Amino acid sequence: MKSRRCAPLVTAAVVAVLNLFGAAHLSAQGAQPLRLATQELPPYQMIEGDRMTGIAVRRIRCALDRLDISYELYMTTWSEAQLGTQTGRFDGFFVGSSNAARAEFSVSSIPVVSESLAWYLPLNSEIDPNDAKDALRARYGAKFATSKWRYLHRNGYNVVMRPRDADSLLNMLLVGDVDVALEYELIFAHFLGERGLSESQFQKVPFRRQQMGAHFSKRFVEANPLFLKRFNESLQQCLVALQ
């Protein structure tokens, strides 16, 4: 059946992109589309013109299109994407790393994105963020309420700010509100490029590789026991095709 794509609907800071494909294969959903939420996080998820796009969006779309199901993608805040999945407003969210809190109400797919995390510091900084002794003698920052932000708190780092996005975090580093910023390399490179800056203007200290997947609510997975396996198989094909 020929697909029908609708322009984004903007209401109350939520952007919904609807994609309707033939008969749904979701037993518990019936005629109801699969509802996935995300946040604006260039270059993974973003709005360009009247369309949701980005690396992760293209991969998610590809996997769902191969399954020939109805689905809706919502652009909202990261906290609302996760809370909405907990409460049943959404069937899942993407992309995010796995952690204990998310595992309480959702099940992760195979990685949609695998990305390196790095510490960013001024060129003249003598701080070693991978040295536990420097955890308290510098001011650290990461995007508020993310796994990175929680990691810093959990491991005793001196976290002083609550940036809402990577662009705000970069600005805090530039004006000296934080001494060290923890962010994904591709995301930070995107915002550096928007400001006409380059990574060579900072110290970049590798931290670790992180895998980020789509997280589906346990309620949805239990009602559709074949879905996650089929989605993972479809996504794996898309990861190869979109290389």
Side-chain angles (χ1 to χ4, degrees):
M1 180 175 293
K2 184 178 180 181
S3 64
R4 177 165 65 86
R5 297 184 182 274
C6 303
L9 172 66
V10 183
T11 56
V14 176
V15 178
V17 180
L18 312 182
N19 301 265
L20 308 179
F21 291 86
H25 296 290
L26 306 179
S27 60
Q29 294 282 300
Q32 292 297 316
L34 171 70
R35 300 156 299 173
L36 295 182
T38 190
Q39 62 175 327
E40 188 160 15
L41 187 67
Y44 298 127
Q45 302 103 218
M46 56 193 141
I47 299 294
E48 289 186 349
D50 63 350
R51 173 176 184 79
M52 191 185 297
T53 186
I55 296 169
V57 171
R58 288 192 293 272
R59 292 174 181 178
I60 292 290
R61 281 185 185 278
C62 176
L64 294 176
D65 289 352
R66 282 175 179 266
L67 295 181
D68 191 31
I69 64 173
S70 302
Y71 64 89
E72 299 174 358
L73 304 182
Y74 291 82
M75 186 77 79
T76 183
T77 65
W78 195 226
S79 58
E80 176 59 28
Q82 294 174 81
L83 179 61
T85 300
Q86 282 184 279
T87 59
R89 181 184 179 191
F90 303 124
D91 300 308
F93 63 94
F94 70 93
V95 285
S97 59
S98 296
N99 59 39
R102 292 168 184 166
E104 290 183 1
F105 64 91
S106 66
V107 182
S108 179
S109 71
I110 64 171
V112 176
V113 174
S114 182
E115 183 59 67
S116 294
L117 275 165
W119 307 98
Y120 292 86
L121 308 86
L123 284 176
N124 61 354
S125 176
E126 297 181 356
I127 299 295
D128 180 358
N130 288 322
D131 188 337
K133 296 193 296 295
D134 284 346
L136 289 176
R137 77 181 187 100
R139 298 164 301 163
Y140 290 80
K143 183 182 175 185
F144 177 61
T146 60
S147 293
K148 301 181 293 295
W149 189 81
R150 293 190 178 95
Y151 170 86
L152 294 176
H153 275 277
R154 190 169 60 249
N155 288 276
Y157 287 87
N158 177 32
V159 183
V160 294
M161 305 295 284
R162 294 185 173 188
R164 295 291 174 175
D165 51 47
D167 192 34
S168 299
L169 177 61
L170 172 57
N171 193 63
M172 291 173 183
L173 184 63
L174 289 170
V175 301
D177 288 337
V178 298
D179 302 308
V180 186
L182 179 61
E183 186 52 90
Y184 290 106
E185 293 184 11
L186 199 58
I187 293 172
F188 224 58
H190 173 86
F191 287 105
L192 285 169
E194 283 198 337
R195 293 172 180 253
L197 303 173
S198 70
E199 289 187 346
S200 64
Q201 294 173 257
F202 301 87
Q203 286 190 56
K204 185 175 76 172
V205 181
F207 179 45
R208 67 184 179 196
R209 193 84 175 168
Q210 192 86 314
Q211 295 181 330
M212 296 179 283
H215 297 256
F216 299 95
S217 73
K218 288 185 174 179
R219 181 190 302 108
F220 176 83
V221 172
E222 289 169 0
N224 301 277
L226 299 180
F227 173 80
L228 188 57
K229 180 176 183 294
R230 294 182 63 238
F231 177 83
N232 284 338
E233 291 172 347
S234 180
L235 176 58
Q236 187 61 58
Q237 293 173 346
C238 288
L239 294 176
V240 174
L242 294 176
Q243 283 182 348

